[in-house]
Amino acid sequence: MFGELLRQHRLAAGIPQETLAERAGLSVETISALERGARQKPYLDTIAQLSRALDLSTDDRAELERAASRRSAIPAVPVNNLPEEISSFVDREHDVVKIIQILTAHRLLTLVGIGGIGKTRLALRVGKELANTRSCGTCFVDFAPIRDALQITSAISDGIGLHSSPDLRRLIAFLRRKTILVILDNCEHLVDDIALTVEGILRACPNVTILATSREPLSIAGEHVHRVTPLELT
């Protein structure tokens, strides 16, 4: 965890390993080894040098020290945190195929439709199919219980396993090196604020794909909309 956290701070600062090494008075090999986890127990004075070089706050430095005290890293992004399906999935196989085709070529797709029409079920099935076929993380974030726009970043952070950082800058730095599908469910009541967050993530994180569900589109550049219609009765 220390190596991943150090890398997040460095990327958030926008500097390469060489610059950090020069500022901290360390070798590039040492910075590389720390970020790879080859050196999991750095000395406190090394952490102090890195903290000064990165201009970390007191809280961020303390978090770095705590991470250094842990012996093993915790996986940052779950392979799959999708909820289990509790009933069978029928009659939308054509939609699943079409959505997967769109997500192969585009990084933002919003499933739009009235409440209760099945957008969440459809998104979860797409996520399950992609989790089984792609070598990437797949995570699910449900905004239904979220009422405060200030909690958007922390909800996404929790969904991808970054529990210690609700800060958007840190979230983007973390996601920048990840290949992951993020499902954002029930966006309609926070649509404008979620749209701003999604724009920032997609602009900075080239390997992140977002599948959103909402009663209305996010209405941002690059968005593709798939309208979910009622199933035909037979």
Side-chain angles (χ1 to χ4, degrees):
M1 183 175 180
F2 176 85
E4 181 64 31
L5 188 57
L6 175 62
R7 185 183 295 111
Q8 291 170 28
H9 283 303
R10 179 176 62 78
L11 292 175
I15 59 175
Q17 289 182 342
E18 292 79 4
T19 301
L20 177 57
E22 181 179 356
R23 291 181 182 178
L26 301 169
S27 68
V28 176
E29 291 75 15
T30 296
I31 300 297
S32 177
L34 288 170
E35 291 191 354
R36 294 196 317 272
R39 288 185 57 184
Q40 296 188 14
K41 299 285 289 184
Y43 296 114
L44 285 177
D45 60 346
T46 299
I47 297 174
Q49 290 170 266
L50 292 168
S51 299
R52 286 193 295 270
L54 291 166
D55 194 23
L56 297 184
S57 67
T58 300
D59 288 343
D60 284 339
R61 174 174 172 172
E63 183 183 15
L64 205 59
E65 291 175 350
R66 287 193 297 270
S69 69
R70 301 186 183 109
R71 291 188 174 274
S72 59
I74 299 172
V77 178
V79 174
N80 184 345
N81 77 336
L82 302 181
E84 291 293 330
E85 294 179 278
I86 59 176
S87 59
S88 60
F89 182 87
V90 294
D91 295 331
R92 289 202 186 274
E93 287 80 5
H94 175 74
D95 287 304
V96 172
V97 172
K98 183 175 181 179
I99 291 166
I100 290 175
Q101 288 175 341
I102 295 173
L103 288 175
T104 300
H106 303 281
R107 296 174 53 220
L108 173 60
L109 173 63
T110 303
L111 305 182
V112 174
I114 61 175
I117 202 169
K119 301 184 295 296
T120 299
R121 289 287 312 282
L122 183 55
L124 288 174
R125 174 47 62 104
V126 170
K128 182 177 180 180
E129 293 291 331
L130 291 177
N132 291 333
T133 58
R134 289 185 178 183
S135 56
C136 68
T138 304
C139 81
F140 177 80
V141 182
D142 182 10
F143 285 114
I146 305 298
R147 289 293 176 265
D148 187 346
L150 296 176
Q151 295 179 318
I152 291 172
T153 302
S154 59
I156 299 174
S157 296
D158 286 345
I160 65 172
L162 187 61
H163 302 294
S164 62
S165 178
D167 177 73
L168 180 58
R169 183 181 64 127
R170 187 90 58 83
L171 172 62
I172 287 175
F174 181 79
L175 285 172
R176 189 175 287 126
R177 301 180 66 256
K178 305 299 179 184
T179 300
I180 187 170
L181 169 71
V182 180
I183 298 174
L184 304 180
D185 194 36
N186 296 305
C187 297
E188 53 274 348
H189 58 297
L190 296 168
V191 65
D192 292 335
D193 295 288
I194 290 174
L196 289 173
T197 302
V198 167
E199 275 190 308
I201 291 172
L202 292 179
R203 189 181 302 116
C205 307
N207 296 317
V208 172
T209 301
I210 292 178
L211 175 61
T213 79
S214 179
R215 297 185 186 184
E216 59 181 290
L218 301 186
S219 300
I220 58 178
E223 179 186 29
H224 286 254
V225 174
H226 179 86
R227 297 198 175 273
V228 182
T229 56
L231 292 171
E232 295 183 4
L233 298 177
T234 57

